[in-house]
Amino acid sequence: MYKNLVELFEENEGKGAVGAFNLHCFEMLPSMIHAAEELQVPIIIQTSLGTAEYIGFEPLIAAVKALAEGSSISVCLHMDHCKSVEALKKAIDLGYSSVMYDGSSLPMEENIKNTKEVVAYARAHHVSVEGEIGAIGGAEEGVVVAQNEAAYTKPEDALYYVDQTDVDALAVAIGTTHGQYKSKAKINYELLDELKAKLGSVGLVLHGGTGVSDEDMKRCVREGMKKINVGTELNKSYIEEVNASFPGATPLTSLRKLFTPANEHIKRIILEKASLFKL
Ligand code: 13P
């Protein structure tokens, strides 16, 4: 079934966090959904605006909906880290079931104003909204937040932002970094406890999942994270697999056969990660 983020949170209540995996190209999509189906867990397929434009909004949305309707699990299509209100309205009009407005680099009141506009539009279309407070460091599709500009989420800011905007989910900066594939993050659990205590029912979101150790993943799930994002690990593994399969190809080798090992690897990664997200 094709659903929004709130519906996935409700369905997964008491069962752990829902995995949100970044789609980087069309080819990896079926493996992602098949992995979640094998585990019988809901899945969030998330894209950057760049990936949506690369594949095309309509074919992407149609494919995710078709795979979702043909599966026995719930699937949400989420726009990740989008800084443009207009682009989010387009994604909502065309059929994304969830969106993230990222105004974290703006002054608080401007972030709130824009987030409210997105929430009002999204609610009218049965679409859920994630916002961000604080600044998660690292590189995401060429958008870099330098470590010295990254800032832990302040609980009082987060409370004010959630009260004002009524977002369904909130990305919090608690020590993780986007694109951290060479080392592991040091998570500030005291801050996570404080955020959880203050924010009540809003779904907390852990970004930068590639740089989180398996132990920390499990602890974050136990401590109440509702959505966990993993992107770079899928991209990195796909590149490694196609680098291994392409050099031996001739003009008569079907491209299909060259992509298959990479797609199978994507499935294995999602099986591993999504297993960690279960309570
Ligand atoms: P990684 O690419 O570091 O796994 O982070 C993904 C993410 O948080 C997407 O918003």
Side-chain angles (χ1 to χ4, degrees):
M1 287 281 283
Y2 188 66
K3 295 193 178 162
N4 70 26
L5 189 56
V6 172
E7 291 167 324
L8 261 63
F9 284 160
E10 281 167 8
E11 171 185 330
N12 211 47
E13 187 56 41
K15 297 183 188 162
V18 186
F21 298 96
N22 286 76
L23 178 77
H24 298 275
C25 63
F26 219 171
E27 286 74 15
M28 56 170 75
L29 176 62
S31 310
M32 296 165 86
I33 294 179
H34 293 153
E37 191 166 25
E38 201 167 304
L39 278 179
Q40 283 296 298
V41 293
I43 187 169
I44 300 154
I45 303 292
Q46 55 186 18
T47 75
S48 62
L49 180 58
T51 298
E53 286 170 347
Y54 164 68
I55 295 174
F57 278 80
E58 284 93 345
L60 169 63
I61 294 164
V64 174
K65 282 186 175 171
L67 284 158
E69 296 310 330
S71 80
S72 56
I73 52 156
S74 301
V75 180
C76 164
L77 177 62
H78 178 79
M79 177 68 78
D80 193 26
H81 284 289
C82 185
K83 293 176 187 290
S84 159
V85 174
E86 288 319 305
L88 287 180
K89 287 184 178 172
K90 176 178 171 181
I92 292 167
D93 285 343
L94 292 176
Y96 270 69
S97 60
S98 184
V99 296
M100 174 183 188
Y101 174 67
D102 179 356
S104 59
S105 59
L106 300 173
M108 171 72 96
E109 293 305 325
E110 208 179 329
N111 186 4
I112 287 175
K113 178 177 152 287
N114 293 350
T115 308
K116 274 174 138 172
E117 188 177 340
V118 173
V119 169
Y121 199 82
R123 289 273 150 81
H125 292 79
H126 194 57
V127 167
S128 44
V129 180
E130 177 180 340
E132 178 169 336
I133 274 291
I136 300 160
E140 179 94 343
E141 292 250 343
V143 180
V144 179
V145 176
Q147 280 315 308
N148 59 0
E149 288 168 24
Y152 281 127
T153 302
K154 293 194 185 82
E156 58 283 7
D157 285 357
L159 184 61
Y160 178 63
Y161 174 83
V162 170
D163 278 351
Q164 292 291 313
T165 60
D166 196 28
V167 286
D168 304 298
L170 182 70
V172 288
I174 57 167
T176 58
T177 300
H178 289 120
Q180 185 176 359
Y181 66 93
K182 290 184 180 160
S183 59
K184 293 297 170 199
K186 184 159 171 22
I187 293 181
N188 184 337
Y189 285 106
E190 254 173 57
L191 177 56
L192 175 54
D193 281 353
E194 218 184 314
L195 288 165
K196 226 191 102 193
K198 272 210 158 64
L199 294 171
S201 65
V202 73
L204 295 184
V205 184
L206 185 68
H207 281 243
T210 299
V212 179
S213 71
D214 289 359
E215 279 319 302
D216 279 326
M217 281 290 191
K218 289 195 212 158
R219 183 163 172 195
C220 284
V221 174
R222 281 198 307 273
E223 302 214 359
M225 278 291 175
K226 289 274 182 277
K227 171 177 181 267
I228 298 189
N229 291 359
V230 179
T232 303
E233 186 155 347
L234 302 176
N235 201 55
K236 170 180 168 288
S237 306
Y238 211 88
I239 291 170
E240 285 165 359
E241 292 291 340
V242 295
N243 275 346
S245 64
F246 270 74
T250 74
L252 297 179
T253 311
S254 167
L255 280 164
R256 184 184 77 236
K257 294 195 174 142
L258 301 174
F259 285 120
T260 300
N263 294 333
E264 283 170 356
H265 198 181
I266 293 298
K267 187 172 173 194
R268 280 196 298 277
I269 294 172
I270 293 187
L271 284 172
E272 274 171 34
K273 296 290 173 197
S275 303
L276 298 171
F277 303 161
K278 281 182 170 186
L279 272 178

Short mmCIF file of all heavy atoms in Angstrom, two decimals, residues 20 22 24 46 80-81 100 130 136 139-140 176-181 205-211 227-234, ligand 1:
data_model
loop_
_atom_site.label_atom_id
_atom_site.label_comp_id
_atom_site.label_asym_id
_atom_site.label_seq_id
_atom_site.Cartn_x
_atom_site.Cartn_y
_atom_site.Cartn_z
N ALA A 20 14.37 4.82 6.26
CA ALA A 20 14.18 5.72 5.11
C ALA A 20 15.46 5.64 4.29
O ALA A 20 16.53 6.01 4.77
CB ALA A 20 13.92 7.14 5.58
N ASN A 22 17.67 6.42 0.80
CA ASN A 22 17.75 7.34 -0.34
C ASN A 22 17.94 6.58 -1.65
O ASN A 22 18.86 5.79 -1.79
CB ASN A 22 18.91 8.33 -0.15
CG ASN A 22 18.59 9.36 0.90
OD1 ASN A 22 18.62 9.07 2.09
ND2 ASN A 22 18.24 10.57 0.49
N HIS A 24 19.00 6.65 -5.40
CA HIS A 24 19.93 7.46 -6.19
C HIS A 24 19.72 7.28 -7.69
O HIS A 24 20.13 8.12 -8.49
CB HIS A 24 21.38 7.12 -5.82
CG HIS A 24 21.69 7.42 -4.38
ND1 HIS A 24 22.07 8.67 -3.95
CD2 HIS A 24 21.63 6.65 -3.27
CE1 HIS A 24 22.26 8.64 -2.63
NE2 HIS A 24 21.99 7.43 -2.20
N GLN A 46 13.17 7.60 -0.12
CA GLN A 46 13.28 9.07 -0.17
C GLN A 46 14.25 9.48 -1.28
O GLN A 46 15.19 8.78 -1.60
CB GLN A 46 13.64 9.67 1.18
CG GLN A 46 14.88 9.15 1.84
CD GLN A 46 15.04 9.74 3.25
OE1 GLN A 46 14.09 10.26 3.85
NE2 GLN A 46 16.25 9.68 3.78
N ASP A 80 13.34 14.39 0.40
CA ASP A 80 14.32 14.62 1.47
C ASP A 80 14.92 16.03 1.33
O ASP A 80 15.16 16.49 0.20
CB ASP A 80 15.41 13.54 1.28
CG ASP A 80 16.35 13.40 2.46
OD1 ASP A 80 15.95 13.72 3.58
OD2 ASP A 80 17.49 12.94 2.23
N HIS A 81 15.20 16.69 2.45
CA HIS A 81 15.95 17.97 2.49
C HIS A 81 15.67 18.92 1.33
O HIS A 81 16.58 19.24 0.56
CB HIS A 81 17.46 17.69 2.44
CG HIS A 81 18.00 17.20 3.73
ND1 HIS A 81 18.15 17.98 4.84
CD2 HIS A 81 18.46 15.97 4.07
CE1 HIS A 81 18.65 17.26 5.82
NE2 HIS A 81 18.84 16.03 5.38
N MET A 100 10.00 16.76 3.15
CA MET A 100 10.77 17.43 4.20
C MET A 100 11.09 18.84 3.73
O MET A 100 11.72 19.01 2.68
CB MET A 100 12.08 16.68 4.46
CG MET A 100 12.98 17.43 5.44
SD MET A 100 14.55 16.60 5.67
CE MET A 100 15.24 17.58 7.02
N GLU A 130 8.10 16.64 7.33
CA GLU A 130 9.25 16.63 8.26
C GLU A 130 9.91 18.00 8.19
O GLU A 130 10.02 18.58 7.10
CB GLU A 130 10.24 15.53 7.81
CG GLU A 130 11.51 15.46 8.64
CD GLU A 130 12.48 14.35 8.16
OE1 GLU A 130 12.04 13.40 7.46
OE2 GLU A 130 13.68 14.47 8.47
N ILE A 136 22.54 19.64 10.66
CA ILE A 136 23.28 18.37 10.57
C ILE A 136 24.42 18.59 9.60
O ILE A 136 24.21 19.03 8.47
CB ILE A 136 22.33 17.25 10.09
CG1 ILE A 136 21.16 17.09 11.08
CG2 ILE A 136 23.09 15.94 9.91
CD1 ILE A 136 19.94 16.41 10.52
N ALA A 139 28.03 16.44 3.84
CA ALA A 139 27.70 16.74 2.45
C ALA A 139 26.52 15.90 2.02
O ALA A 139 26.45 14.71 2.28
CB ALA A 139 28.89 16.44 1.56
N GLU A 140 25.57 16.54 1.36
CA GLU A 140 24.36 15.86 0.89
C GLU A 140 24.11 16.39 -0.51
O GLU A 140 23.77 17.54 -0.68
CB GLU A 140 23.20 16.23 1.83
CG GLU A 140 21.89 15.64 1.46
CD GLU A 140 21.59 14.33 2.18
OE1 GLU A 140 22.53 13.70 2.72
OE2 GLU A 140 20.45 13.93 2.16
N THR A 176 25.25 13.22 14.49
CA THR A 176 25.51 12.51 13.22
C THR A 176 25.81 13.52 12.11
O THR A 176 25.50 14.71 12.23
CB THR A 176 24.30 11.63 12.81
OG1 THR A 176 23.15 12.47 12.69
CG2 THR A 176 24.05 10.54 13.83
N THR A 177 26.40 13.00 11.03
CA THR A 177 26.83 13.83 9.92
C THR A 177 26.45 13.13 8.62
O THR A 177 26.61 11.92 8.51
CB THR A 177 28.37 13.95 9.97
OG1 THR A 177 28.73 14.54 11.22
CG2 THR A 177 28.93 14.79 8.86
N HIS A 178 25.96 13.89 7.64
CA HIS A 178 25.66 13.27 6.34
C HIS A 178 26.95 12.83 5.65
O HIS A 178 27.96 13.53 5.69
CB HIS A 178 24.97 14.29 5.42
CG HIS A 178 23.57 14.60 5.82
ND1 HIS A 178 23.15 15.86 6.15
CD2 HIS A 178 22.48 13.80 5.94
CE1 HIS A 178 21.85 15.83 6.44
NE2 HIS A 178 21.42 14.59 6.34
N GLY A 179 26.90 11.69 5.00
CA GLY A 179 28.02 11.26 4.15
C GLY A 179 29.23 10.75 4.92
O GLY A 179 30.33 10.70 4.38
N GLN A 180 29.04 10.35 6.18
CA GLN A 180 30.17 9.91 7.00
C GLN A 180 30.38 8.40 6.77
O GLN A 180 29.79 7.58 7.47
CB GLN A 180 29.85 10.19 8.48
CG GLN A 180 31.00 9.88 9.42
CD GLN A 180 30.68 10.26 10.88
OE1 GLN A 180 29.61 10.78 11.18
NE2 GLN A 180 31.60 10.00 11.77
N TYR A 181 31.20 8.04 5.79
CA TYR A 181 31.36 6.62 5.49
C TYR A 181 32.71 6.05 5.93
O TYR A 181 32.93 4.85 5.83
CB TYR A 181 31.14 6.36 3.99
CG TYR A 181 32.18 6.98 3.09
CD1 TYR A 181 33.30 6.25 2.69
CD2 TYR A 181 32.04 8.28 2.63
CE1 TYR A 181 34.26 6.82 1.87
CE2 TYR A 181 32.99 8.85 1.82
CZ TYR A 181 34.09 8.12 1.44
OH TYR A 181 35.04 8.69 0.63
N VAL A 205 13.70 12.13 13.88
CA VAL A 205 14.36 11.53 12.72
C VAL A 205 15.87 11.62 12.86
O VAL A 205 16.42 12.69 13.13
CB VAL A 205 13.93 12.24 11.41
CG1 VAL A 205 14.54 11.55 10.20
CG2 VAL A 205 12.41 12.29 11.29
N LEU A 206 16.53 10.47 12.67
CA LEU A 206 17.99 10.42 12.72
C LEU A 206 18.52 10.47 11.29
O LEU A 206 18.24 9.57 10.48
CB LEU A 206 18.45 9.12 13.40
CG LEU A 206 19.95 8.99 13.63
CD1 LEU A 206 20.43 9.99 14.69
CD2 LEU A 206 20.32 7.57 14.06
N HIS A 207 19.27 11.51 11.00
CA HIS A 207 19.89 11.63 9.68
C HIS A 207 21.32 11.10 9.75
O HIS A 207 21.87 10.90 10.83
CB HIS A 207 19.89 13.10 9.24
CG HIS A 207 18.56 13.54 8.71
ND1 HIS A 207 18.36 13.96 7.42
CD2 HIS A 207 17.34 13.59 9.31
CE1 HIS A 207 17.09 14.27 7.25
NE2 HIS A 207 16.45 14.07 8.39
N GLY A 208 21.93 10.90 8.58
CA GLY A 208 23.34 10.47 8.54
C GLY A 208 23.54 9.05 9.02
O GLY A 208 24.54 8.73 9.66
N GLY A 209 22.60 8.15 8.67
CA GLY A 209 22.65 6.78 9.17
C GLY A 209 23.89 6.00 8.75
O GLY A 209 24.31 5.07 9.45
N THR A 210 24.51 6.38 7.64
CA THR A 210 25.71 5.66 7.19
C THR A 210 26.80 5.70 8.26
O THR A 210 27.52 4.72 8.45
CB THR A 210 26.23 6.30 5.88
OG1 THR A 210 25.19 6.17 4.90
CG2 THR A 210 27.51 5.64 5.38
N GLY A 211 26.90 6.82 8.97
CA GLY A 211 27.97 6.96 9.97
C GLY A 211 27.57 6.51 11.37
O GLY A 211 28.25 6.87 12.33
N LYS A 227 12.28 7.47 12.70
CA LYS A 227 12.66 7.34 11.28
C LYS A 227 14.18 7.41 11.21
O LYS A 227 14.77 8.30 11.84
CB LYS A 227 12.00 8.48 10.48
CG LYS A 227 12.45 8.64 9.03
CD LYS A 227 11.64 9.77 8.34
CE LYS A 227 12.04 9.96 6.88
NZ LYS A 227 13.09 10.99 6.69
N ILE A 228 14.79 6.50 10.48
CA ILE A 228 16.25 6.53 10.37
C ILE A 228 16.65 6.56 8.89
O ILE A 228 16.21 5.71 8.10
CB ILE A 228 16.89 5.32 11.09
CG1 ILE A 228 16.53 5.39 12.58
CG2 ILE A 228 18.40 5.30 10.88
CD1 ILE A 228 17.23 4.39 13.48
N ASN A 229 17.45 7.56 8.54
CA ASN A 229 17.83 7.78 7.15
C ASN A 229 19.18 7.16 6.82
O ASN A 229 20.16 7.39 7.54
CB ASN A 229 17.99 9.29 6.89
CG ASN A 229 16.70 10.06 6.94
OD1 ASN A 229 15.63 9.49 7.15
ND2 ASN A 229 16.78 11.36 6.73
N VAL A 230 19.22 6.42 5.72
CA VAL A 230 20.49 5.87 5.25
C VAL A 230 20.59 6.17 3.75
O VAL A 230 19.68 5.81 2.98
CB VAL A 230 20.57 4.33 5.47
CG1 VAL A 230 21.90 3.78 4.94
CG2 VAL A 230 20.40 3.99 6.94
N GLY A 231 21.66 6.84 3.34
CA GLY A 231 21.81 7.19 1.93
C GLY A 231 23.15 6.81 1.35
O GLY A 231 23.26 5.98 0.44
N THR A 232 24.21 7.41 1.91
CA THR A 232 25.54 7.26 1.32
C THR A 232 25.97 5.80 1.19
O THR A 232 26.60 5.42 0.21
CB THR A 232 26.56 8.04 2.19
OG1 THR A 232 26.13 9.40 2.24
CG2 THR A 232 27.96 7.98 1.61
N GLU A 233 25.63 4.99 2.19
CA GLU A 233 26.05 3.60 2.13
C GLU A 233 25.50 2.90 0.88
O GLU A 233 26.18 2.05 0.28
CB GLU A 233 25.59 2.87 3.39
CG GLU A 233 26.14 1.47 3.45
CD GLU A 233 26.24 0.93 4.86
OE1 GLU A 233 26.13 1.71 5.83
OE2 GLU A 233 26.43 -0.28 4.97
N LEU A 234 24.30 3.25 0.48
CA LEU A 234 23.71 2.63 -0.72
C LEU A 234 24.44 3.13 -1.97
O LEU A 234 24.79 2.35 -2.87
CB LEU A 234 22.23 2.98 -0.83
CG LEU A 234 21.33 2.57 0.34
CD1 LEU A 234 19.92 3.06 0.13
CD2 LEU A 234 21.33 1.06 0.53
P1 13P B 1 23.80 9.35 4.94
O1 13P B 1 23.92 9.59 3.47
O2 13P B 1 24.96 9.86 5.69
O3 13P B 1 23.48 7.92 5.24
O4 13P B 1 22.54 10.22 5.43
C1 13P B 1 21.31 10.09 4.79
C2 13P B 1 20.38 11.15 5.21
O5 13P B 1 20.37 11.56 6.35
C3 13P B 1 19.48 11.69 4.20
O6 13P B 1 18.80 12.82 4.63
#
